[in-house]
Amino acid sequence: MTTPELEYWYELCFKAFNNNKKANDFVLFLEGCKTKPPTNGLYCWETTDLEFQQHLKALGCEPLDNVWTLPIEKLSVLSKNKSQARSQWHTQRQEQLKAHLSKTLSSITTPLDITDQQRIALVKEFVQVHQTDVGSVPFLRGLVGCLKYQLQNKYQVIEWKLSEYVLTQNDEEAMESYVRLLRGVLGFQLLYQDDTDDDSDKVIININQQPLESVLIWQMNPNLENRFIQSVLKCLPKEHNLNDYQVSNTKRNITQPQTIFQWFYTVISQCLSFLH
């Protein structure tokens, strides 16, 4: 096939991968609506759609009335080049998502100045949007596992090693929502991120070996009380992950419950204060 024909096909494939309906319809037509090859080694397509006919002509198909033909070997080349185009598209798309993630992390940097009640309301709103989204399942399960693991550790803060792909596999809107929940609502801190030059919001930590995939390490908000964490968990799905967490050296800034002796001492002290 000629270079212009292949370039035209590449462009069509990229449009189809980017959810262009017309381009996707034609790609599906070319792959699924061909006739069985006759003895002369040609595939045939029959269409009255003028736009489809224009595409077929640009790909080197020969017309006969409304029937268009293409040699078997040329269709094989198109199929191979579609696979190459998809691989290239995935690479470019992931680069776009990584860039958007960096931009999102730079724009959402601090917790919102709101009450715990308002935070719970935002968690419920997040769950309502994402709990039926298959692409959000890994994030939700990871978050639930992290919160449950924190409840098991009374004094130290938990760290969560999160695959970058979990944040980027959906679209940009979902990605922003994940980061907004972690940073803005729950007050998580980003400790480490692979493949980035921006160190403005990261603490240097030791990594024993280079991970095989890009990861981010998030640290739980040390100021979250257990009661608040339990309230958040009531809003989230029950399924959770069991790994990707570790206990850090950072201490939690939570109010420790009083013992019976401490409570009794406090009550007696208050009563005695009225005698003075």
Side-chain angles (χ1 to χ4, degrees):
M1 299 191 70
T2 66
T3 299
E5 291 169 349
L6 291 177
E7 290 177 348
Y8 190 89
W9 175 239
Y10 252 79
E11 184 178 350
L12 274 176
C13 289
F14 265 78
K15 288 181 178 179
F17 300 151
N18 284 318
N19 298 320
N20 182 294
K21 186 179 184 305
K22 290 185 176 180
N24 189 59
D25 286 346
F26 175 75
V27 171
L28 292 175
F29 167 78
L30 187 74
E31 294 179 331
C33 296
K34 58 184 179 297
T35 62
K36 292 183 179 180
T39 54
N40 60 357
L42 297 174
Y43 277 115
C44 300
W45 292 265
E46 185 173 353
T47 179
T48 58
D49 187 298
L50 296 179
E51 187 171 356
F52 280 17
Q53 290 179 356
Q54 178 183 351
H55 292 327
L56 290 167
K57 182 178 180 180
L59 294 175
C61 295
E62 297 292 336
L64 179 62
D65 296 328
N66 290 325
V67 177
W68 297 75
T69 62
L70 189 70
I72 297 175
E73 59 271 16
K74 285 192 174 184
L75 185 62
S76 178
V77 172
L78 291 180
S79 178
K80 181 179 179 180
N81 277 266
K82 181 193 172 186
S83 297
Q84 295 174 349
R86 180 178 291 278
S87 178
Q88 184 179 349
W89 177 84
H90 275 298
T91 300
Q92 291 184 5
R93 179 60 178 156
Q94 194 60 28
E95 289 175 353
Q96 292 172 356
L97 291 171
K98 284 171 68 73
H100 190 81
L101 176 60
S102 295
K103 180 180 179 181
T104 302
L105 291 171
S106 298
S107 62
I108 304 174
T109 58
T110 56
L112 298 170
D113 185 15
I114 55 179
T115 65
D116 283 353
Q117 186 176 0
Q118 290 172 319
R119 295 182 194 281
I120 293 297
L122 290 175
V123 171
K124 291 180 178 179
E125 181 179 322
F126 175 89
V127 173
Q128 186 177 6
V129 172
H130 293 280
Q131 65 180 345
T132 57
D133 178 16
V134 175
S136 293
V137 169
F139 176 80
L140 285 169
R141 290 185 177 180
L143 177 60
V144 172
C146 182
L147 295 172
K148 288 187 174 182
Y149 196 54
Q150 182 63 83
L151 288 178
Q152 298 173 15
N153 292 271
K154 297 180 180 180
Y155 306 109
Q156 306 299 121
V157 175
I158 296 305
E159 293 174 0
W160 175 18
K161 184 171 74 172
L162 179 63
S163 169
E164 181 183 82
Y165 185 68
V166 171
L167 297 177
T168 61
Q169 66 175 326
N170 270 355
D171 56 17
E172 288 83 351
E173 184 177 353
M175 183 196 309
E176 293 171 6
S177 186
Y178 300 156
V179 175
R180 191 176 298 111
L181 178 70
L182 288 177
R183 267 187 170 163
V185 178
L186 300 178
F188 277 61
Q189 181 187 11
L190 181 62
L191 294 184
Y192 174 86
Q193 181 185 6
D194 284 334
D195 301 327
T196 180
D197 296 326
D198 182 11
D199 298 325
S200 59
D201 184 46
K202 293 178 298 184
V203 178
I204 298 176
I205 62 174
N206 293 324
I207 300 297
N208 294 328
Q209 64 180 46
Q210 184 68 24
L212 297 178
E213 60 179 351
S214 296
V215 298
L216 301 91
I217 296 181
W218 294 91
Q219 186 180 80
M220 278 281 295
N221 183 349
N223 300 315
L224 294 185
E225 298 280 350
N226 285 347
R227 182 176 299 179
F228 176 80
I229 294 176
Q230 291 167 347
S231 297
V232 172
L233 285 171
K234 289 179 181 179
C235 305
L236 296 169
K238 303 301 181 183
E239 296 79 7
H240 63 280
N241 291 346
L242 299 174
N243 48 18
D244 298 329
Y245 316 112
Q246 64 181 13
V247 179
S248 73
N249 294 324
T250 303
K251 294 183 179 181
R252 299 179 68 186
N253 300 323
I254 61 174
T255 303
Q256 300 298 331
Q258 287 185 324
T259 64
I260 295 178
F261 175 78
Q262 290 172 327
W263 176 83
F264 183 76
Y265 179 81
T266 301
V267 172
I268 295 299
S269 298
Q270 291 177 346
C271 292
L272 291 176
S273 67
F274 290 110
L275 299 178
H276 297 283

